[in-house]
mmCIF file of all heavy atoms in Angstrom:
data_model
loop_
_atom_site.group_PDB
_atom_site.id
_atom_site.type_symbol
_atom_site.label_atom_id
_atom_site.label_comp_id
_atom_site.label_asym_id
_atom_site.label_seq_id
_atom_site.Cartn_x
_atom_site.Cartn_y
_atom_site.Cartn_z
ATOM 1 N N MET A 1 0.833 -1.196 0.000
ATOM 2 C CA MET A 1 0.000 0.000 0.000
ATOM 3 C C MET A 1 0.870 1.250 0.000
ATOM 4 O O MET A 1 1.860 1.321 0.693
ATOM 5 C CB MET A 1 -0.888 0.021 1.227
ATOM 6 C CG MET A 1 -2.017 -0.944 1.178
ATOM 7 S SD MET A 1 -3.193 -0.558 2.465
ATOM 8 C CE MET A 1 -3.653 -2.193 2.925
ATOM 9 N N ALA A 2 0.467 2.232 -0.743
ATOM 10 C CA ALA A 2 1.209 3.493 -0.818
ATOM 11 C C ALA A 2 0.734 4.452 0.261
ATOM 12 O O ALA A 2 -0.406 4.381 0.704
ATOM 13 C CB ALA A 2 0.991 4.123 -2.191
ATOM 14 N N ASN A 3 1.610 5.352 0.655
ATOM 15 C CA ASN A 3 1.230 6.390 1.607
ATOM 16 C C ASN A 3 0.850 7.620 0.801
ATOM 17 O O ASN A 3 1.656 8.178 0.084
ATOM 18 C CB ASN A 3 2.398 6.695 2.549
ATOM 19 C CG ASN A 3 2.005 7.635 3.654
ATOM 20 O OD1 ASN A 3 1.025 8.352 3.555
ATOM 21 N ND2 ASN A 3 2.779 7.628 4.711
ATOM 22 N N CYS A 4 -0.396 8.030 0.880
ATOM 23 C CA CYS A 4 -0.892 9.155 0.083
ATOM 24 C C CYS A 4 -1.426 10.228 1.020
ATOM 25 O O CYS A 4 -2.377 9.988 1.754
ATOM 26 C CB CYS A 4 -1.988 8.662 -0.849
ATOM 27 S SG CYS A 4 -2.689 9.951 -1.881
ATOM 28 N N CYS A 5 -0.818 11.390 0.986
ATOM 29 C CA CYS A 5 -1.292 12.515 1.795
ATOM 30 C C CYS A 5 -1.363 12.149 3.280
ATOM 31 O O CYS A 5 -2.310 12.512 3.979
ATOM 32 C CB CYS A 5 -2.640 13.008 1.306
ATOM 33 S SG CYS A 5 -2.675 13.416 -0.442
ATOM 34 N N GLY A 6 -0.395 11.407 3.768
ATOM 35 C CA GLY A 6 -0.360 11.070 5.178
ATOM 36 C C GLY A 6 -1.261 9.915 5.577
ATOM 37 O O GLY A 6 -1.458 9.653 6.735
ATOM 38 N N ARG A 7 -1.812 9.198 4.625
ATOM 39 C CA ARG A 7 -2.660 8.056 4.948
ATOM 40 C C ARG A 7 -2.211 6.860 4.122
ATOM 41 O O ARG A 7 -1.623 7.005 3.070
ATOM 42 C CB ARG A 7 -4.130 8.354 4.699
ATOM 43 C CG ARG A 7 -4.468 8.506 3.236
ATOM 44 C CD ARG A 7 -5.971 8.726 3.023
ATOM 45 N NE ARG A 7 -6.261 8.820 1.619
ATOM 46 C CZ ARG A 7 -6.503 7.775 0.830
ATOM 47 N NH1 ARG A 7 -6.495 6.565 1.291
ATOM 48 N NH2 ARG A 7 -6.760 7.942 -0.457
ATOM 49 N N ARG A 8 -2.512 5.687 4.601
ATOM 50 C CA ARG A 8 -2.224 4.475 3.854
ATOM 51 C C ARG A 8 -3.365 4.260 2.865
ATOM 52 O O ARG A 8 -4.526 4.348 3.222
ATOM 53 C CB ARG A 8 -2.125 3.279 4.793
ATOM 54 C CG ARG A 8 -1.071 3.427 5.860
ATOM 55 C CD ARG A 8 0.308 3.114 5.439
ATOM 56 N NE ARG A 8 0.435 1.723 5.057
ATOM 57 C CZ ARG A 8 1.457 1.256 4.375
ATOM 58 N NH1 ARG A 8 2.424 2.046 4.014
ATOM 59 N NH2 ARG A 8 1.527 -0.002 4.047
ATOM 60 N N ALA A 9 -3.039 4.013 1.616
ATOM 61 C CA ALA A 9 -4.080 3.861 0.604
ATOM 62 C C ALA A 9 -3.802 2.644 -0.263
ATOM 63 O O ALA A 9 -2.657 2.298 -0.504
ATOM 64 C CB ALA A 9 -4.142 5.110 -0.275
ATOM 65 N N ARG A 10 -4.843 2.035 -0.732
ATOM 66 C CA ARG A 10 -4.691 0.949 -1.690
ATOM 67 C C ARG A 10 -4.240 1.539 -3.011
ATOM 68 O O ARG A 10 -4.676 2.618 -3.403
ATOM 69 C CB ARG A 10 -6.029 0.250 -1.924
ATOM 70 C CG ARG A 10 -6.437 -0.719 -0.861
ATOM 71 C CD ARG A 10 -7.698 -1.395 -1.374
ATOM 72 N NE ARG A 10 -8.022 -2.707 -0.980
ATOM 73 C CZ ARG A 10 -7.264 -3.782 -0.901
ATOM 74 N NH1 ARG A 10 -5.999 -3.692 -1.166
ATOM 75 N NH2 ARG A 10 -7.725 -4.947 -0.552
ATOM 76 N N SER A 11 -3.414 0.829 -3.711
ATOM 77 C CA SER A 11 -2.971 1.270 -5.024
ATOM 78 C C SER A 11 -4.185 1.465 -5.927
ATOM 79 O O SER A 11 -5.060 0.612 -5.998
ATOM 80 C CB SER A 11 -2.046 0.217 -5.617
ATOM 81 O OG SER A 11 -1.647 0.579 -6.903
ATOM 82 N N GLY A 12 -4.251 2.600 -6.577
ATOM 83 C CA GLY A 12 -5.364 2.877 -7.475
ATOM 84 C C GLY A 12 -6.609 3.417 -6.794
ATOM 85 O O GLY A 12 -7.624 3.591 -7.435
ATOM 86 N N SER A 13 -6.538 3.697 -5.496
ATOM 87 C CA SER A 13 -7.715 4.240 -4.804
ATOM 88 C C SER A 13 -7.598 5.756 -4.676
ATOM 89 O O SER A 13 -6.518 6.320 -4.787
ATOM 90 C CB SER A 13 -7.862 3.621 -3.419
ATOM 91 O OG SER A 13 -6.806 4.046 -2.580
ATOM 92 N N ARG A 14 -8.719 6.404 -4.467
ATOM 93 C CA ARG A 14 -8.765 7.845 -4.233
ATOM 94 C C ARG A 14 -9.718 8.113 -3.080
ATOM 95 O O ARG A 14 -10.711 7.419 -2.916
ATOM 96 C CB ARG A 14 -9.271 8.610 -5.463
ATOM 97 C CG ARG A 14 -8.457 8.430 -6.710
ATOM 98 C CD ARG A 14 -7.040 8.965 -6.553
ATOM 99 N NE ARG A 14 -6.272 8.786 -7.754
ATOM 100 C CZ ARG A 14 -5.544 7.716 -8.044
ATOM 101 N NH1 ARG A 14 -5.503 6.708 -7.212
ATOM 102 N NH2 ARG A 14 -4.866 7.645 -9.170
ATOM 103 N N LEU A 15 -9.430 9.154 -2.316
ATOM 104 C CA LEU A 15 -10.298 9.582 -1.228
ATOM 105 C C LEU A 15 -10.904 10.919 -1.616
ATOM 106 O O LEU A 15 -10.181 11.859 -1.953
ATOM 107 C CB LEU A 15 -9.509 9.726 0.071
ATOM 108 C CG LEU A 15 -10.297 10.282 1.264
ATOM 109 C CD1 LEU A 15 -11.366 9.279 1.689
ATOM 110 C CD2 LEU A 15 -9.346 10.568 2.413
ATOM 111 N N VAL A 16 -12.224 10.995 -1.592
ATOM 112 C CA VAL A 16 -12.929 12.252 -1.842
ATOM 113 C C VAL A 16 -13.551 12.660 -0.512
ATOM 114 O O VAL A 16 -14.405 11.968 0.029
ATOM 115 C CB VAL A 16 -14.019 12.103 -2.925
ATOM 116 C CG1 VAL A 16 -14.791 13.413 -3.075
ATOM 117 C CG2 VAL A 16 -13.396 11.689 -4.248
ATOM 118 N N THR A 17 -13.085 13.798 0.017
ATOM 119 C CA THR A 17 -13.568 14.319 1.287
ATOM 120 C C THR A 17 -14.444 15.527 1.010
ATOM 121 O O THR A 17 -14.104 16.361 0.177
ATOM 122 C CB THR A 17 -12.382 14.739 2.178
ATOM 123 O OG1 THR A 17 -11.525 13.614 2.341
ATOM 124 C CG2 THR A 17 -12.842 15.236 3.519
ATOM 125 N N VAL A 18 -15.569 15.619 1.710
ATOM 126 C CA VAL A 18 -16.473 16.757 1.552
ATOM 127 C C VAL A 18 -16.470 17.553 2.847
ATOM 128 O O VAL A 18 -16.737 17.008 3.910
ATOM 129 C CB VAL A 18 -17.900 16.297 1.196
ATOM 130 C CG1 VAL A 18 -18.818 17.499 1.038
ATOM 131 C CG2 VAL A 18 -17.882 15.464 -0.066
ATOM 132 N N ASP A 19 -16.132 18.824 2.741
ATOM 133 C CA ASP A 19 -16.040 19.715 3.902
ATOM 134 C C ASP A 19 -17.430 20.237 4.257
ATOM 135 O O ASP A 19 -17.727 21.408 4.097
ATOM 136 C CB ASP A 19 -15.084 20.863 3.590
ATOM 137 C CG ASP A 19 -14.857 21.781 4.774
ATOM 138 O OD1 ASP A 19 -15.114 21.355 5.908
ATOM 139 O OD2 ASP A 19 -14.428 22.921 4.558
ATOM 140 N N GLU A 20 -18.314 19.318 4.678
ATOM 141 C CA GLU A 20 -19.660 19.677 5.103
ATOM 142 C C GLU A 20 -20.068 18.708 6.201
ATOM 143 O O GLU A 20 -19.490 17.640 6.334
ATOM 144 C CB GLU A 20 -20.649 19.582 3.941
ATOM 145 C CG GLU A 20 -20.332 20.567 2.828
ATOM 146 C CD GLU A 20 -21.507 20.846 1.927
ATOM 147 O OE1 GLU A 20 -22.654 20.795 2.407
ATOM 148 O OE2 GLU A 20 -21.278 21.116 0.748
ATOM 149 N N SER A 21 -21.073 19.058 6.956
ATOM 150 C CA SER A 21 -21.539 18.159 8.008
ATOM 151 C C SER A 21 -22.476 17.117 7.406
ATOM 152 O O SER A 21 -23.010 17.301 6.324
ATOM 153 C CB SER A 21 -22.253 18.946 9.098
ATOM 154 O OG SER A 21 -23.397 19.567 8.563
ATOM 155 N N GLY A 22 -22.658 16.049 8.123
ATOM 156 C CA GLY A 22 -23.555 14.993 7.672
ATOM 157 C C GLY A 22 -22.796 13.726 7.358
ATOM 158 O O GLY A 22 -21.582 13.696 7.361
ATOM 159 N N ARG A 23 -23.542 12.681 7.085
ATOM 160 C CA ARG A 23 -22.944 11.383 6.804
ATOM 161 C C ARG A 23 -23.493 10.821 5.502
ATOM 162 O O ARG A 23 -23.776 9.639 5.402
ATOM 163 C CB ARG A 23 -23.227 10.421 7.952
ATOM 164 C CG ARG A 23 -22.589 10.877 9.232
ATOM 165 C CD ARG A 23 -22.961 9.952 10.361
ATOM 166 N NE ARG A 23 -22.576 10.540 11.616
ATOM 167 C CZ ARG A 23 -21.508 10.186 12.295
ATOM 168 N NH1 ARG A 23 -20.717 9.271 11.828
ATOM 169 N NH2 ARG A 23 -21.225 10.765 13.435
ATOM 170 N N ASP A 24 -23.663 11.651 4.527
ATOM 171 C CA ASP A 24 -24.184 11.204 3.243
ATOM 172 C C ASP A 24 -23.144 10.357 2.527
ATOM 173 O O ASP A 24 -21.952 10.534 2.703
ATOM 174 C CB ASP A 24 -24.533 12.399 2.357
ATOM 175 C CG ASP A 24 -25.628 13.263 2.976
ATOM 176 O OD1 ASP A 24 -26.432 12.709 3.736
ATOM 177 O OD2 ASP A 24 -25.653 14.463 2.694
ATOM 178 N N VAL A 25 -23.627 9.448 1.713
ATOM 179 C CA VAL A 25 -22.730 8.585 0.962
ATOM 180 C C VAL A 25 -22.581 9.092 -0.464
ATOM 181 O O VAL A 25 -21.503 9.104 -1.016
ATOM 182 C CB VAL A 25 -23.249 7.133 0.969
ATOM 183 C CG1 VAL A 25 -22.404 6.249 0.091
ATOM 184 C CG2 VAL A 25 -23.292 6.610 2.394
ATOM 185 N N TYR A 26 -23.649 9.522 -1.068
ATOM 186 C CA TYR A 26 -23.595 10.003 -2.453
ATOM 187 C C TYR A 26 -24.297 11.343 -2.529
ATOM 188 O O TYR A 26 -25.396 11.503 -2.025
ATOM 189 C CB TYR A 26 -24.261 8.988 -3.369
ATOM 190 C CG TYR A 26 -24.216 9.371 -4.829
ATOM 191 C CD1 TYR A 26 -23.016 9.638 -5.473
ATOM 192 C CD2 TYR A 26 -25.378 9.462 -5.559
ATOM 193 C CE1 TYR A 26 -22.987 9.979 -6.809
ATOM 194 C CE2 TYR A 26 -25.362 9.806 -6.893
ATOM 195 C CZ TYR A 26 -24.156 10.060 -7.516
ATOM 196 O OH TYR A 26 -24.130 10.402 -8.834
ATOM 197 N N VAL A 27 -23.672 12.308 -3.160
ATOM 198 C CA VAL A 27 -24.157 13.666 -3.316
ATOM 199 C C VAL A 27 -24.441 14.306 -1.964
ATOM 200 O O VAL A 27 -25.558 14.705 -1.668
ATOM 201 C CB VAL A 27 -25.409 13.729 -4.227
ATOM 202 C CG1 VAL A 27 -25.693 15.154 -4.628
ATOM 203 C CG2 VAL A 27 -25.250 12.858 -5.458
ATOM 204 N N PRO A 28 -23.413 14.410 -1.112
ATOM 205 C CA PRO A 28 -23.603 15.019 0.203
ATOM 206 C C PRO A 28 -24.095 16.451 0.114
ATOM 207 O O PRO A 28 -23.419 17.299 -0.436
ATOM 208 C CB PRO A 28 -22.237 14.941 0.857
ATOM 209 C CG PRO A 28 -21.344 14.257 -0.096
ATOM 210 C CD PRO A 28 -22.066 14.033 -1.370
ATOM 211 N N GLY A 29 -25.264 16.706 0.639
ATOM 212 C CA GLY A 29 -25.811 18.051 0.693
ATOM 213 C C GLY A 29 -25.928 18.729 -0.660
ATOM 214 O O GLY A 29 -25.975 19.934 -0.758
ATOM 215 N N GLY A 30 -25.930 17.945 -1.738
ATOM 216 C CA GLY A 30 -26.003 18.538 -3.063
ATOM 217 C C GLY A 30 -24.701 19.189 -3.485
ATOM 218 O O GLY A 30 -24.682 20.048 -4.353
ATOM 219 N N ASN A 31 -23.570 18.787 -2.899
ATOM 220 C CA ASN A 31 -22.264 19.363 -3.211
ATOM 221 C C ASN A 31 -21.882 19.013 -4.650
ATOM 222 O O ASN A 31 -21.668 17.843 -4.992
ATOM 223 C CB ASN A 31 -21.225 18.827 -2.221
ATOM 224 C CG ASN A 31 -19.880 19.461 -2.395
ATOM 225 O OD1 ASN A 31 -19.222 19.250 -3.392
ATOM 226 N ND2 ASN A 31 -19.468 20.236 -1.405
ATOM 227 N N ALA A 32 -21.816 20.026 -5.519
ATOM 228 C CA ALA A 32 -21.560 19.807 -6.945
ATOM 229 C C ALA A 32 -20.211 19.142 -7.202
ATOM 230 O O ALA A 32 -20.093 18.275 -8.069
ATOM 231 C CB ALA A 32 -21.642 21.132 -7.698
ATOM 232 N N CYS A 33 -19.191 19.519 -6.457
ATOM 233 C CA CYS A 33 -17.858 18.935 -6.623
ATOM 234 C C CYS A 33 -17.908 17.429 -6.376
ATOM 235 O O CYS A 33 -17.467 16.626 -7.204
ATOM 236 C CB CYS A 33 -16.883 19.614 -5.671
ATOM 237 S SG CYS A 33 -15.281 18.804 -5.494
ATOM 238 N N ALA A 34 -18.463 17.021 -5.239
ATOM 239 C CA ALA A 34 -18.547 15.595 -4.899
ATOM 240 C C ALA A 34 -19.443 14.852 -5.869
ATOM 241 O O ALA A 34 -19.142 13.730 -6.283
ATOM 242 C CB ALA A 34 -19.052 15.432 -3.474
ATOM 243 N N MET A 35 -20.554 15.466 -6.260
ATOM 244 C CA MET A 35 -21.470 14.836 -7.191
ATOM 245 C C MET A 35 -20.776 14.578 -8.529
ATOM 246 O O MET A 35 -20.879 13.493 -9.096
ATOM 247 C CB MET A 35 -22.711 15.682 -7.415
ATOM 248 C CG MET A 35 -23.724 15.012 -8.335
ATOM 249 S SD MET A 35 -25.271 15.909 -8.497
ATOM 250 C CE MET A 35 -24.743 17.362 -9.385
ATOM 251 N N ASN A 36 -20.048 15.564 -9.042
ATOM 252 C CA ASN A 36 -19.371 15.405 -10.330
ATOM 253 C C ASN A 36 -18.288 14.338 -10.275
ATOM 254 O O ASN A 36 -18.168 13.519 -11.193
ATOM 255 C CB ASN A 36 -18.775 16.734 -10.789
ATOM 256 C CG ASN A 36 -19.838 17.734 -11.176
ATOM 257 O OD1 ASN A 36 -20.963 17.370 -11.510
ATOM 258 N ND2 ASN A 36 -19.496 19.010 -11.122
ATOM 259 N N LEU A 37 -17.486 14.328 -9.213
ATOM 260 C CA LEU A 37 -16.425 13.324 -9.083
ATOM 261 C C LEU A 37 -17.008 11.916 -8.979
ATOM 262 O O LEU A 37 -16.541 10.986 -9.642
ATOM 263 C CB LEU A 37 -15.560 13.620 -7.852
ATOM 264 C CG LEU A 37 -14.692 14.860 -7.928
ATOM 265 C CD1 LEU A 37 -14.077 15.167 -6.562
ATOM 266 C CD2 LEU A 37 -13.600 14.687 -8.971
ATOM 267 N N THR A 38 -18.035 11.758 -8.158
ATOM 268 C CA THR A 38 -18.639 10.447 -7.950
ATOM 269 C C THR A 38 -19.363 9.969 -9.197
ATOM 270 O O THR A 38 -19.234 8.814 -9.599
ATOM 271 C CB THR A 38 -19.604 10.482 -6.751
ATOM 272 O OG1 THR A 38 -18.896 10.978 -5.616
ATOM 273 C CG2 THR A 38 -20.144 9.112 -6.433
ATOM 274 N N THR A 39 -20.115 10.852 -9.829
ATOM 275 C CA THR A 39 -20.844 10.480 -11.038
ATOM 276 C C THR A 39 -19.887 10.083 -12.154
ATOM 277 O O THR A 39 -20.129 9.104 -12.864
ATOM 278 C CB THR A 39 -21.776 11.620 -11.486
ATOM 279 O OG1 THR A 39 -22.703 11.893 -10.431
ATOM 280 C CG2 THR A 39 -22.536 11.253 -12.749
ATOM 281 N N SER A 40 -18.789 10.812 -12.309
ATOM 282 C CA SER A 40 -17.797 10.465 -13.340
ATOM 283 C C SER A 40 -17.268 9.054 -13.134
ATOM 284 O O SER A 40 -17.102 8.292 -14.078
ATOM 285 C CB SER A 40 -16.633 11.456 -13.331
ATOM 286 O OG SER A 40 -17.046 12.700 -13.795
ATOM 287 N N TYR A 41 -17.014 8.701 -11.880
ATOM 288 C CA TYR A 41 -16.532 7.353 -11.592
ATOM 289 C C TYR A 41 -17.608 6.296 -11.865
ATOM 290 O O TYR A 41 -17.341 5.271 -12.496
ATOM 291 C CB TYR A 41 -16.053 7.240 -10.140
ATOM 292 C CG TYR A 41 -15.639 5.838 -9.809
ATOM 293 C CD1 TYR A 41 -14.465 5.310 -10.342
ATOM 294 C CD2 TYR A 41 -16.432 5.041 -9.020
ATOM 295 C CE1 TYR A 41 -14.090 4.002 -10.069
ATOM 296 C CE2 TYR A 41 -16.070 3.734 -8.747
ATOM 297 C CZ TYR A 41 -14.900 3.221 -9.273
ATOM 298 O OH TYR A 41 -14.540 1.934 -9.014
ATOM 299 N N LEU A 42 -18.825 6.549 -11.411
ATOM 300 C CA LEU A 42 -19.893 5.567 -11.585
ATOM 301 C C LEU A 42 -20.298 5.387 -13.043
ATOM 302 O O LEU A 42 -20.632 4.284 -13.475
ATOM 303 C CB LEU A 42 -21.117 5.963 -10.761
ATOM 304 C CG LEU A 42 -20.940 5.902 -9.240
ATOM 305 C CD1 LEU A 42 -22.162 6.474 -8.548
ATOM 306 C CD2 LEU A 42 -20.654 4.477 -8.785
ATOM 307 N N VAL A 43 -20.250 6.464 -13.837
ATOM 308 C CA VAL A 43 -20.699 6.398 -15.230
ATOM 309 C C VAL A 43 -19.627 5.833 -16.152
ATOM 310 O O VAL A 43 -19.894 4.954 -16.967
ATOM 311 C CB VAL A 43 -21.157 7.794 -15.723
ATOM 312 C CG1 VAL A 43 -21.413 7.804 -17.216
ATOM 313 C CG2 VAL A 43 -22.415 8.215 -14.970
ATOM 314 N N ASP A 44 -18.390 6.333 -16.036
ATOM 315 C CA ASP A 44 -17.367 5.893 -16.996
ATOM 316 C C ASP A 44 -16.040 5.459 -16.377
ATOM 317 O O ASP A 44 -15.061 5.257 -17.086
ATOM 318 C CB ASP A 44 -17.129 6.959 -18.060
ATOM 319 C CG ASP A 44 -16.676 8.290 -17.497
ATOM 320 O OD1 ASP A 44 -16.063 8.319 -16.417
ATOM 321 O OD2 ASP A 44 -16.943 9.309 -18.145
ATOM 322 N N GLY A 45 -16.009 5.316 -15.042
ATOM 323 C CA GLY A 45 -14.805 4.801 -14.390
ATOM 324 C C GLY A 45 -13.677 5.797 -14.230
ATOM 325 O O GLY A 45 -12.572 5.425 -13.860
ATOM 326 N N THR A 46 -13.932 7.076 -14.481
ATOM 327 C CA THR A 46 -12.900 8.103 -14.365
ATOM 328 C C THR A 46 -12.702 8.497 -12.908
ATOM 329 O O THR A 46 -13.646 8.931 -12.250
ATOM 330 C CB THR A 46 -13.280 9.360 -15.175
ATOM 331 O OG1 THR A 46 -13.474 8.977 -16.532
ATOM 332 C CG2 THR A 46 -12.208 10.423 -15.083
ATOM 333 N N MET A 47 -11.465 8.328 -12.401
ATOM 334 C CA MET A 47 -11.153 8.722 -11.031
ATOM 335 C C MET A 47 -10.333 10.006 -11.050
ATOM 336 O O MET A 47 -9.619 10.267 -12.025
ATOM 337 C CB MET A 47 -10.326 7.641 -10.333
ATOM 338 C CG MET A 47 -11.090 6.381 -10.073
ATOM 339 S SD MET A 47 -10.296 5.260 -8.894
ATOM 340 C CE MET A 47 -8.613 5.228 -9.359
ATOM 341 N N PRO A 48 -10.401 10.802 -9.979
ATOM 342 C CA PRO A 48 -9.530 11.971 -9.885
ATOM 343 C C PRO A 48 -8.069 11.505 -9.912
ATOM 344 O O PRO A 48 -7.770 10.368 -9.524
ATOM 345 C CB PRO A 48 -9.866 12.595 -8.534
ATOM 346 C CG PRO A 48 -11.047 11.880 -8.006
ATOM 347 C CD PRO A 48 -11.225 10.636 -8.785
ATOM 348 N N SER A 49 -7.170 12.349 -10.346
ATOM 349 C CA SER A 49 -5.759 11.971 -10.431
ATOM 350 C C SER A 49 -5.129 11.811 -9.049
ATOM 351 O O SER A 49 -4.112 11.147 -8.904
ATOM 352 C CB SER A 49 -4.988 12.999 -11.248
ATOM 353 O OG SER A 49 -5.115 14.275 -10.656
ATOM 354 N N CYS A 50 -5.727 12.455 -8.035
ATOM 355 C CA CYS A 50 -5.230 12.328 -6.670
ATOM 356 C C CYS A 50 -6.414 12.526 -5.720
ATOM 357 O O CYS A 50 -7.523 12.792 -6.154
ATOM 358 C CB CYS A 50 -4.151 13.367 -6.386
ATOM 359 S SG CYS A 50 -4.711 15.057 -6.522
ATOM 360 N N ASP A 51 -6.186 12.375 -4.420
ATOM 361 C CA ASP A 51 -7.242 12.613 -3.429
ATOM 362 C C ASP A 51 -7.766 14.033 -3.580
ATOM 363 O O ASP A 51 -7.009 14.943 -3.918
ATOM 364 C CB ASP A 51 -6.708 12.412 -2.023
ATOM 365 C CG ASP A 51 -6.359 10.958 -1.735
ATOM 366 O OD1 ASP A 51 -6.674 10.075 -2.537
ATOM 367 O OD2 ASP A 51 -5.775 10.733 -0.660
ATOM 368 N N ARG A 52 -9.050 14.230 -3.332
ATOM 369 C CA ARG A 52 -9.670 15.552 -3.477
ATOM 370 C C ARG A 52 -10.462 15.921 -2.240
ATOM 371 O O ARG A 52 -11.054 15.063 -1.586
ATOM 372 C CB ARG A 52 -10.643 15.552 -4.667
ATOM 373 C CG ARG A 52 -10.033 15.275 -6.015
ATOM 374 C CD ARG A 52 -9.314 16.485 -6.590
ATOM 375 N NE ARG A 52 -10.186 17.616 -6.718
ATOM 376 C CZ ARG A 52 -10.913 17.904 -7.787
ATOM 377 N NH1 ARG A 52 -10.887 17.135 -8.828
ATOM 378 N NH2 ARG A 52 -11.667 18.990 -7.798
ATOM 379 N N THR A 53 -10.508 17.210 -1.935
ATOM 380 C CA THR A 53 -11.375 17.739 -0.895
ATOM 381 C C THR A 53 -12.320 18.729 -1.550
ATOM 382 O O THR A 53 -11.889 19.668 -2.213
ATOM 383 C CB THR A 53 -10.565 18.449 0.207
ATOM 384 O OG1 THR A 53 -9.709 17.493 0.832
ATOM 385 C CG2 THR A 53 -11.480 19.072 1.257
ATOM 386 N N CYS A 54 -13.615 18.495 -1.394
ATOM 387 C CA CYS A 54 -14.640 19.378 -1.944
ATOM 388 C C CYS A 54 -15.092 20.321 -0.835
ATOM 389 O O CYS A 54 -15.479 19.878 0.240
ATOM 390 C CB CYS A 54 -15.824 18.567 -2.451
ATOM 391 S SG CYS A 54 -15.397 17.511 -3.858
ATOM 392 N N ARG A 55 -15.012 21.586 -1.091
ATOM 393 C CA ARG A 55 -15.397 22.603 -0.102
ATOM 394 C C ARG A 55 -16.897 22.801 -0.076
ATOM 395 O O ARG A 55 -17.612 22.408 -0.997
ATOM 396 C CB ARG A 55 -14.702 23.936 -0.419
ATOM 397 C CG ARG A 55 -13.209 23.834 -0.500
ATOM 398 C CD ARG A 55 -12.610 23.621 0.856
ATOM 399 N NE ARG A 55 -11.165 23.424 0.726
ATOM 400 C CZ ARG A 55 -10.454 22.705 1.551
ATOM 401 N NH1 ARG A 55 -11.020 22.098 2.568
ATOM 402 N NH2 ARG A 55 -9.163 22.559 1.387
ATOM 403 N N ARG A 56 -17.374 23.459 0.969
ATOM 404 C CA ARG A 56 -18.799 23.764 1.082
ATOM 405 C C ARG A 56 -19.289 24.557 -0.090
ATOM 406 O O ARG A 56 -18.574 25.354 -0.660
ATOM 407 C CB ARG A 56 -19.067 24.582 2.332
ATOM 408 C CG ARG A 56 -19.128 23.744 3.517
ATOM 409 C CD ARG A 56 -19.458 24.548 4.726
ATOM 410 N NE ARG A 56 -19.098 23.678 5.846
ATOM 411 C CZ ARG A 56 -19.362 23.879 7.074
ATOM 412 N NH1 ARG A 56 -19.972 24.963 7.429
ATOM 413 N NH2 ARG A 56 -19.016 23.018 7.979
ATOM 414 N N GLY A 57 -20.568 24.330 -0.393
ATOM 415 C CA GLY A 57 -21.186 25.155 -1.408
ATOM 416 C C GLY A 57 -21.483 24.406 -2.593
ATOM 417 O O GLY A 57 -21.714 24.377 -3.609
#
């Protein structure tokens, strides 16, 4: 496992963090950033090039 951004990660995995409250799994609070990243992966398998943090709004 590789160390990515101070965490242990599986090879080929990405972490998408949403800077909002709640425990939503998909489309947290209607966050466009998280929705776009997740939808891209679910529709065509495209992952972000690295871990991402989506800010509020």
Side-chain angles (χ1 to χ4, degrees):
M1 286 194 217
N3 187 340
C4 180
C5 306
R7 69 177 182 87
R8 302 279 296 165
R10 281 186 151 315
S11 177
S13 68
R14 301 297 180 271
L15 175 67
V16 176
T17 303
V18 180
D19 184 20
E20 296 200 31
S21 63
R23 296 176 192 258
D24 298 332
V25 175
Y26 182 56
V27 193
N31 185 292
C33 168
M35 183 174 68
N36 291 337
L37 291 170
T38 305
T39 300
S40 290
Y41 176 72
L42 293 173
V43 171
D44 59 27
T46 302
M47 291 195 316
S49 58
C50 62
D51 292 351
R52 298 282 302 270
T53 297
C54 295
R55 304 289 176 209
R56 280 183 196 189

